[in-house]
Amino acid sequence: LASAACGACAAIDGADGKSVTVRIVDLCPGCQSGHIDLSPDAFSKLADLSVGVMPVTWRYVSCDYQGPIQYKFKEGSNPYWTAVQIRHHANRIAKVEYEKDGAWTAMSRTDYNYFLEDKGLGDGPYHFRVTDVLGETLEDEGIAFSEGGVVDGKGQFGVCAGN
């Protein structure tokens, strides 16, 4: 899914040795595969905005978050239909699972970057297991339901130079 890059950080290197680190926040439907559309602020750290388009190289890197990951419950979520977005994660997210009755169940990732359980997760509180693309897992128990709200987890993924 294209949303797999959302929330990740990328180090961008321009042709003249300047670089900037950015967080990927959405898709670029008009971009060619492998291209990256920078905000004016990020672009200006590499070149004058009048340049318009320039060659760069980029790679995924860990985001520099000091606090724990966060769970954002989508507006409209309820015990019978639940969508959760993972925020403030250092590394790209590979999967999100919830534990119910002693078994782990994977949630499906949507194009709009939420992990969905279309049957809902019940009333809560919830026990989540989040795995990053490097295979590291975080488990959070006691995550309370909050429609449209954000709930802090207890941990953060380790930092890696390129992921």
Side-chain angles (χ1 to χ4, degrees), residues 69 71 73 82 84 86 95-107 115 117 120-131 137-145 151-155:
I69 64 170
Y71 300 87
F73 290 88
T82 311
V84 178
I86 308 304
K95 70 180 172 179
V96 174
E97 301 165 287
Y98 67 95
E99 187 271 332
K100 189 169 188 172
D101 300 326
W104 288 104
T105 302
M107 300 177 77
F115 290 86
E117 177 50 77
L121 299 179
D123 293 322
Y126 310 118
H127 184 183
F128 289 110
R129 180 166 64 189
V130 181
T131 305
T137 61
L138 297 173
E139 281 191 39
D140 282 308
E141 292 186 75
I143 300 297
F145 175 74
V151 180
D152 285 343
K154 294 174 186 65

Side-chain angles (χ1 to χ4, degrees), residues 22-85:
V22 298
R23 186 171 58 91
I24 299 170
V25 296
D26 61 15
L27 300 175
C28 180
C31 293
Q32 295 177 11
S33 178
H35 286 200
I36 193 161
D37 185 26
L38 300 175
S39 70
D41 184 50
F43 192 101
S44 68
K45 290 183 168 109
L46 300 174
D48 188 86
L49 291 176
S50 65
V51 171
V53 177
M54 68 178 161
V56 299
T57 58
W58 66 273
R59 65 197 177 286
Y60 288 112
V61 295
S62 293
C63 298
D64 186 21
Y65 290 119
Q66 301 304 312
I69 64 170
Q70 295 179 328
Y71 300 87
K72 163 76 165 112
F73 290 88
K74 185 165 181 39
E75 292 76 6
S77 287
N78 57 60
Y80 311 102
W81 181 90
T82 311
V84 178
Q85 184 179 72

